[in-house]
Amino acid sequence: METDCTRDENRVNAGLAPLPAGTRLLHIGPHKTGTTAVQGALFAAKDVLPGHGVVFPAHTRHPMEAALAACARPAMMGDTAPTEQHWTRLLDQVRAAGRRTSVISSEFFADAEDDETIARIVAQLGGDRVHVLVTLRPLARVMPSQWQQYVQNGLRMGYEEWLEHMLRRPPYQEPNPSFWRRHRHDRLVERWARAVGPGRVTVVVVDDRDRGALMRTFETLLGLPANLLQPVPDSANRSLTLAETEMLRSLNKEFRSNDLPAELYSRLVRNGAVVHMKNSCSPSPLDVRIATPGWAVEAAAEAGAEAAGRIAASGVRVVGDLRLLSAVPKPAPAVPGEARVAPEVAAQALYGALAAAASAPVRHTAPAKSRTVHQTSSKELVKVLGHRCLRRLRRR
């Protein structure tokens, strides 16, 4: 039976034809527009795609290091720095696809900030064989997700203060200059259209009312059978609740104030405590969500309307309704009470950090100095423990 969503999807994809065989479809995000879901579905179907003339040329779900290296961007806080070898390896896999269609997806390609870098990426991927796909969502929905993601990378600023900086304090670069590089959507589209031409750019406006439409659009463009791409459950990609984010933000303040190594943050906090907490704890209806104040929602809608107008005039192909970019989401139902972290959530976060630390081999340390623990300040102890843990991780 055909549902309303199916009929809407059919109308959205009406007239959309598969890309020519041999196309290098480059999905550049940006962040928080369904990229993880697409990457998970493509990676899960990796072994059956070649039977339909399509290749997913990556050894992992998300070739983040390769994209960062291509865009000359740094790694996330404490992660291993990407190298040219990461990008070269991905290029070799793309070239190995031959005349088959290949699809490369990373939201970090949206971080390429100048025409020269973008032109080089396009040339290395095959020049006129490259077709750029941009997925967009309304800014009002993107902002809370991006803030908590920045907190997961060490940000210490609260949400409303962050919004003030991003929306009211020119030149809108601090504390996260990457935000508008990614999410000034019209300029993002224009940068890539200058490199490949408007005729080889497709903009897909994601409609949150129909979660399956994005997968169906990818299937159509790649010439795949319907319903081949299926979402893969990924609790590690869920957004944090307000309480979880505030807990992490408080930890970030302590971490930074004690000058602990960034590598320790990556291993124990972001990839230890946070990942385990996400995997082990599902938000309940009673959890307080991150709420965007009305003035910021209105500012986001205005920016979205301006971006939609410029995208419409750019000559690129648009799939979906550009008016959604200026949509104002309905406010979430108010949840009574304060944002508090449940004891079991805090316990899972702590366990995740301990498990990450325990995964490094324990070695005997040098004899203690004459000063005892009781004679040492807590701040000095934190520094010493942090550096010892990092040394163990590096030995591993």
Side-chain angles (χ1 to χ4, degrees):
M1 181 177 179
E2 190 179 50
T3 66
D4 290 340
C5 282
T6 305
R7 287 192 292 271
D8 290 342
E9 177 188 318
N10 290 338
R11 286 195 294 270
V12 166
N13 287 337
L16 193 62
L19 297 168
T23 295
R24 275 80 188 265
L25 179 61
L26 179 63
H27 176 211
I28 67 168
H31 296 65
K32 304 303 176 184
T33 60
T35 52
T36 300
V38 168
Q39 291 154 6
L42 288 167
F43 190 68
K46 183 177 175 21
D47 292 338
V48 300
L49 291 177
H52 302 283
V54 178
V55 176
F56 184 71
H59 292 304
T60 61
R61 175 190 62 79
H62 178 200
M64 178 176 67
E65 293 85 359
L68 288 170
C71 298
R73 305 303 302 167
M76 296 179 72
M77 177 181 171
D79 285 1
T80 303
T83 67
E84 189 64 26
Q85 186 176 6
H86 289 106
W87 176 231
T88 301
R89 189 181 303 123
L90 181 61
L91 288 176
D92 289 342
Q93 292 174 275
V94 171
R95 295 184 186 114
R99 298 308 303 175
R100 292 177 294 183
T101 297
S102 54
V103 53
I104 307 101
S105 175
S106 174
E107 54 270 41
F108 285 96
F109 283 113
D111 284 354
E113 57 184 327
D114 61 80
D115 288 358
E116 182 179 354
T117 298
I118 293 172
R120 174 179 52 77
I121 291 171
V122 170
Q124 290 174 319
L125 282 173
D128 58 7
R129 293 177 66 180
V130 176
H131 190 101
V132 176
L133 178 63
V134 188
T135 45
L136 299 181
R137 293 178 73 227
L139 271 176
R141 293 191 180 277
V142 165
M143 289 189 302
S145 296
Q146 271 283 232
W147 171 69
Q148 59 89 28
Q149 193 68 53
Y150 284 128
V151 172
Q152 292 181 54
N153 197 36
L155 180 69
R156 292 163 286 174
M157 187 178 288
Y159 187 42
E160 294 211 21
E161 185 183 359
W162 181 81
L163 289 171
E164 285 276 349
H165 280 75
M166 292 293 99
L167 296 169
R168 286 179 167 175
R169 297 191 185 179
Y172 316 109
Q173 291 293 304
E174 299 297 334
N176 301 113
S178 63
F179 179 78
W180 286 117
R181 187 185 310 130
R182 298 167 178 173
H183 296 296
R184 182 65 205 220
H185 295 150
D186 49 344
R187 295 176 185 170
L188 173 66
V189 170
E190 289 163 0
R191 284 198 297 273
W192 286 86
R194 285 195 293 270
V196 299
R200 288 194 281 125
V201 176
T202 296
V203 172
V204 179
V205 182
V206 178
D207 188 341
D208 291 328
R209 298 168 299 181
D210 183 4
R211 298 300 178 93
L214 182 58
M215 297 294 183
R216 307 293 80 80
T217 300
F218 267 83
E219 288 169 349
T220 301
L221 289 172
L222 295 171
L224 298 174
N227 301 311
L228 177 66
L229 299 180
Q230 293 294 325
V232 178
D234 185 7
S235 58
N237 188 52
R238 74 164 175 86
S239 293
L240 300 178
T241 66
L242 179 59
E244 291 169 340
T245 311
E246 288 297 335
M247 177 181 70
L248 181 57
R249 192 166 69 88
S250 296
L251 176 58
N252 291 347
K253 292 178 181 179
E254 290 296 319
F255 192 94
R256 294 291 185 97
S257 67
N258 285 285
D259 299 322
L260 292 174
E263 291 173 56
L264 205 61
Y265 186 90
S266 171
R267 180 66 180 269
L268 300 188
V269 180
R270 186 173 57 249
N271 295 309
V274 175
V275 168
H276 189 75
M277 180 177 67
K278 286 181 175 183
N279 282 332
S280 305
C281 306
S282 299
S284 80
L286 298 179
D287 285 319
V288 179
R289 305 305 174 107
I290 301 168
T292 305
W295 69 265
V297 171
E298 292 176 5
E302 290 177 9
E306 182 181 347
R310 291 183 58 160
I311 292 171
S314 68
V316 303
R317 176 169 57 181
V318 176
V319 178
D321 188 354
L322 281 170
R323 292 173 297 180
L324 290 176
L325 299 184
S326 58
V328 176
K330 294 180 180 179
V335 176
E338 297 180 40
R340 294 183 180 275
V341 176
E344 58 270 22
V345 175
Q348 292 296 346
L350 178 58
Y351 176 80
L354 292 173
S359 67
V362 178
R363 300 172 186 267
H364 294 292
T365 56
K369 295 183 179 180
S370 58
R371 189 169 49 162
T372 68
V373 169
H374 298 291
Q375 296 171 318
T376 308
S377 71
S378 59
K379 187 169 184 177
E380 289 179 278
L381 282 173
V382 170
K383 285 185 179 180
V384 171
L385 290 172
H387 284 284
R388 284 183 180 178
C389 188
L390 180 60
R391 284 199 297 272
R392 290 172 183 169
L393 295 176
R394 284 175 172 166
R395 288 184 190 130
R396 181 172 181 268

